Amino acid sequence: MRRTQGQTKQRYECVPAAAARHFFLGPLPEDPPSPPRAVSHCPEPGHADGRLQSRGTRVTKAGTWHRFRCLRPDRSHHQFQVLTDADGSVLHSMHRPPACPEHGGSRVTRHGAYGTGARRRQRYRCQPREGVGAHTFTPPLTREVVAVGTEACATCDELLSPHRGALTGARHTPWSLSLYARVLNELSMGASYSATSLMMRTYRDRARRHLHEMHGLDLDGVAGAPAPVADAGLTLTQAGGGRGNGAWHLAANVVEQYAPLVWREVKAQMEARETAQRVANDAHLASWPADRLDTPVTWLLDEHHVNVATRRASDGRRRRKTWFILVVVEVHWHPPAAGMDLPRREYRLRLARAYPRGNAQAWRLVFHELGVRPDFVIADHGGAIASALESEFGAEVGFIPSLFHMRRRLRETLGDLPGATTKRHGRRVLVDALAAKLDVLAREDLLTGGAAAWAAWWDELEAAVTALPAPVLGLLEQRKLYEPKVAAALPLLHVNPHLPASNAAVENNIRHQLEPFLENRKQGYRNLARLNYLLDLAVARSQGAFTDLEAIAHLIRVDNEQAGGWAYAPRALADTQPPPSAPDRTPARYASLFNTLLVGALVEQRLGTAAGRTTAEVGLDTLGLSASSSASSPSTPGSSNGSGPRPSEAS
């Protein structure tokens, strides 16, 4: 080669037959064809030491196939081929066909397909090496048929392998595995059952239209073919039938089937972390009882009541019912920031449970499910939480009343007194004498003064109310409630200045992560077990379970493959209940949010508390509510809408 005028040219030699030999310059030749750049090793496992040799190409309807020979150091060899398109891009997914579950090491090849429309699945043929007759089979979780050489992944722009079509979620279901993971992700953010179910149907119909428009498949007469209407215009009736069998059941079934599976993994991780932290804290306190804990097990507690208006079937009159969500937020401790001494706090949902009542018995159920003793609890001044803590843990847990709630309640009480408010800039505010007293009701002021200053503060507030003049009876009741609790918490806050003195983080989590579940009143939650499964998804999201949807899909795939591809039967939450309040009423088919007898029955079942034999005689061991142990997947045998029983559960 020679470089002339900034260009590199090739020097050639010409040897004519009847003339003298001479040399000339010409352009560089084109690079010789080389194997596809993505084929750098043999796709067989354990053949990374093999040396590849090109064995030419062959052309089929699918495209151009490049053949290779893999030569191993032990002189063994075999051949394989990969597909390229017209642009030279390579089919990266050089996966082998699935192994036959009956004959290991047999030769497996594709053998047609079965199903119709968007449910066309790949079938395989097994030829055993022992000379046994060949047979066809499908893996536990089937895959959609791939048109080799034409279908590509929209994400990475690679041709799809014929053995790597979209994986189905379970046997006898039209829903793909990736769609299951997306549905659980949408539900964990508060999407309604109906909206999520319509999304599932939209994706299925889109696949059918793709097969019809791009691959020429005739979908006439196929059950469930796409209707000639826009997706956005679908109504619930068009998407899934009437009220009793409406579209919302699709997403509700996914919650029943797979939310317990996700929750089981998340719960195990949380319990392992808290158990290790509990052991370390106990060892530290055994050596230095009065020392500060840098990473105490800390919970913030609160409840959220939900009012539901219903109509009586007898007279049609409206009546209001109330049920409760009991929320636990945990504190994650991080190392101190630069230049700081105290550890940093991060708040995450730890548990959310729906119960017909928000009393001390319901909170005892929550504490029993958490399964670990906390170091500190921050909550409001209600008696239900304090009573449940005393019953469950005794005096071992440090209780810190929320200063924010106390200050807000005092402001409301003082604002109702005659002569205690004035109008300023169009707003009604407390008079200066009372406002000044509440302004100093802060954590720093309380820690500086101690218990003596705290008692003197109440004396001064009573004197200010008397001077209005106004009655002090309500103020005395609040003093009786707040003064001893705050006085007992001041030493804890002094030794542990990194602890929060308010449970405002619980209200923030309720507002941003749980209230979206309650915005759509049309969902009309009634089934207590299914609702608690749904709340488990919200907690799992707060714990980071949905940051990787591939991990969720893998979790579902492994669980279903262990059961031969079968998913748990949906609509299996038919729990035996305590008797109704009226003798002439028939017990409900499922555990209802409005059954106030349910909390006492669960306490008797799980905690062994004597609550009367009337509830123990109705089969409490089959309640199956979502309280971790009962948060295992439903196990009622049967088949409904694409899922069958696990083999171990079939009668």
Side-chain angles (χ1 to χ4, degrees):
M1 289 185 294
R2 180 178 300 177
R3 189 175 184 84
T4 59
Q5 297 180 356
Q7 297 182 357
T8 301
K9 295 185 178 182
Q10 179 68 43
R11 184 170 181 263
Y12 295 94
E13 179 185 14
C14 177
V15 184
R21 185 183 65 171
H22 66 281
F23 298 90
F24 68 94
L25 297 177
L28 292 175
E30 296 182 357
D31 294 334
S34 60
R37 60 185 182 280
V39 185
S40 58
H41 61 278
C42 177
E44 288 286 351
H47 287 198
D49 56 352
R51 183 166 57 90
L52 298 187
Q53 297 177 344
S54 178
R55 308 293 289 180
T57 62
R58 71 184 183 95
V59 180
T60 65
K61 294 180 179 180
T64 302
W65 297 83
H66 287 255
R67 293 178 173 178
F68 294 93
R69 182 187 186 191
C70 173
L71 182 62
R72 302 289 305 286
D74 58 358
R75 297 185 181 276
S76 62
H77 60 84
H78 69 95
Q79 295 187 0
F80 67 93
Q81 60 186 8
V82 295
L83 179 67
T84 64
D85 62 5
D87 298 330
S89 63
V90 179
L91 177 68
H92 286 206
S93 299
M94 298 181 296
H95 297 90
R96 309 298 298 174
C100 176
E102 300 179 9
H103 306 97
S106 60
R107 183 173 181 268
V108 178
T109 57
R110 287 185 297 154
H111 190 70
Y114 67 95
T116 57
R119 300 180 59 180
R120 290 178 57 81
R121 306 298 183 185
Q122 184 66 58
R123 183 187 287 115
Y124 292 93
R125 183 175 186 270
C126 168
Q127 180 63 58
R129 299 180 183 274
E130 296 80 5
V132 184
H135 67 95
T136 60
F137 74 95
T138 57
L141 295 185
T142 58
R143 293 184 179 273
E144 294 182 2
V145 174
V146 171
V148 182
T150 60
E151 295 192 25
C153 175
T155 303
C156 54
D157 197 23
E158 294 177 357
L159 295 174
L160 291 179
S161 166
H163 308 301
R164 283 298 180 269
L167 193 66
T168 185
R171 286 186 179 271
H172 294 223
T173 177
W175 317 115
S176 65
L177 184 64
S178 59
L179 183 58
Y180 275 150
R182 176 167 182 174
V183 167
L184 292 174
N185 180 59
E186 294 289 332
L187 291 171
S188 70
M189 293 186 290
S192 68
Y193 288 146
S194 299
T196 309
S197 300
L198 288 175
M199 180 267 290
M200 295 174 65
R201 293 183 181 274
T202 299
Y203 272 77
R204 183 193 62 184
D205 295 341
R206 185 180 302 170
R208 286 197 172 113
R209 281 193 295 271
H210 168 75
L211 293 175
H212 175 67
E213 297 171 0
M214 303 302 296
H215 301 281
L217 295 180
D218 185 12
L219 299 181
D220 294 338
V222 176
V229 295
D231 292 340
L234 286 176
T235 64
L236 287 179
T237 303
Q238 291 171 331
R243 292 183 179 180
N245 196 22
W248 69 273
H249 272 294
L250 292 176
N253 291 344
V254 176
V255 170
E256 292 185 23
Q257 292 172 296
Y258 299 116
L261 180 65
V262 177
W263 174 246
R264 186 167 63 239
E265 296 294 320
V266 174
K267 184 175 183 293
Q269 297 173 7
M270 293 188 297
E271 288 182 345
R273 181 184 67 244
E274 288 180 342
T275 301
Q277 192 172 346
R278 177 75 273 150
V279 172
N281 291 348
D282 288 342
H284 182 86
L285 292 175
S287 302
W288 299 280
D291 197 11
R292 182 187 81 185
L293 289 174
D294 289 334
T295 58
V297 180
T298 308
W299 296 340
L300 286 75
L301 312 178
D302 204 354
E303 62 189 29
H304 181 76
H305 65 276
V306 181
N307 296 320
V308 181
T310 60
R311 292 186 180 274
R312 294 181 180 178
S314 58
D315 53 9
R317 299 183 60 183
R318 296 177 64 87
R319 58 178 178 174
R320 174 169 294 187
K321 296 182 178 180
T322 303
W323 54 273
F324 297 83
I325 299 180
L326 311 185
V327 184
V328 180
V329 171
E330 64 177 352
V331 179
H332 279 242
W333 299 102
H334 297 283
M340 303 295 291
D341 180 49
L342 300 178
R344 294 172 295 148
R345 299 189 296 258
E346 178 191 357
Y347 301 103
R348 295 184 188 176
L349 278 177
R350 175 60 178 85
L351 188 65
R353 282 288 167 259
Y355 285 117
R357 304 178 66 182
N359 56 6
Q361 287 184 322
W363 278 109
R364 286 200 64 187
L365 292 174
V366 171
F367 295 149
H368 179 73
E369 184 177 351
L370 289 168
V372 68
R373 174 176 55 85
D375 293 299
F376 301 100
V377 165
I378 297 92
D380 57 20
H381 301 256
I385 295 178
S387 176
L389 283 173
E390 179 68 23
S391 301
E392 193 71 18
F393 304 113
E396 296 183 274
V397 178
F399 180 77
I400 299 176
S402 175
L403 300 182
F404 168 76
H405 284 80
M406 180 184 64
R407 185 165 52 247
R408 184 174 63 182
R409 297 289 175 80
L410 284 173
R411 189 178 299 275
E412 293 174 355
T413 301
L414 295 175
D416 293 336
L417 297 178
T421 59
T422 183
K423 203 166 186 179
R424 186 173 298 164
H425 302 295
R427 298 180 59 188
R428 188 163 295 279
V429 297
L430 293 176
V431 296
D432 294 339
L434 299 180
K437 298 302 298 179
L438 294 184
D439 289 341
V440 299
L441 194 60
R443 175 176 181 159
E444 294 76 11
D445 299 321
L446 293 175
L447 292 178
T448 301
W454 173 235
W457 182 89
W458 279 102
D459 294 336
E460 296 172 1
L461 182 61
E462 289 181 15
V465 172
T466 305
L468 286 177
V472 296
L473 182 60
L475 189 63
L476 292 177
E477 292 294 331
Q478 287 192 328
R479 179 174 185 175
K480 182 180 178 181
L481 173 65
Y482 296 144
E483 183 179 4
K485 292 184 177 180
V486 175
L490 289 179
L492 300 178
L493 293 175
H494 181 75
V495 177
N496 302 276
H498 56 304
L499 288 178
S502 170
N503 65 342
V506 185
E507 295 189 356
N508 291 335
N509 278 271
I510 292 176
R511 183 179 305 111
H512 297 295
Q513 300 194 50
L514 297 182
E515 282 191 359
F517 291 87
L518 309 174
E519 289 179 354
N520 187 357
R521 298 292 181 179
K522 294 181 180 180
Q523 295 187 157
Y525 299 116
R526 295 293 187 274
N527 193 313
L528 181 62
R530 186 190 296 134
L531 176 56
N532 281 325
Y533 288 162
L534 189 62
L535 295 178
D536 287 340
L537 294 179
V539 177
R541 182 173 193 83
S542 180
Q543 295 289 336
F546 288 94
T547 55
D548 185 6
L549 294 186
E550 291 292 336
I552 300 295
H554 177 73
L555 192 67
I556 298 174
R557 175 182 180 180
V558 171
D559 187 72
N560 282 348
E561 284 183 339
Q562 289 176 351
W566 293 105
Y568 287 101
R571 308 185 195 180
L573 295 179
D575 308 309
T576 305
Q577 292 197 75
S581 56
D584 57 341
R585 294 184 182 177
T586 304
R589 182 174 55 85
Y590 55 83
S592 173
L593 278 169
F594 304 135
N595 191 340
T596 56
L597 299 177
L598 199 57
V599 174
L602 289 175
V603 170
E604 181 179 355
Q605 178 202 32
R606 298 175 186 169
L607 308 182
T609 306
R613 297 303 301 166
T614 57
T615 56
E617 296 171 354
V618 295
L620 291 174
D621 54 314
T622 59
L623 275 170
L625 299 183
S626 175
S628 74
S629 62
S630 58
S632 59
S633 297
S635 58
T636 300
S639 176
S640 174
N641 251 0
S643 296
R646 301 282 189 169
S648 61
E649 297 165 357
S651 57

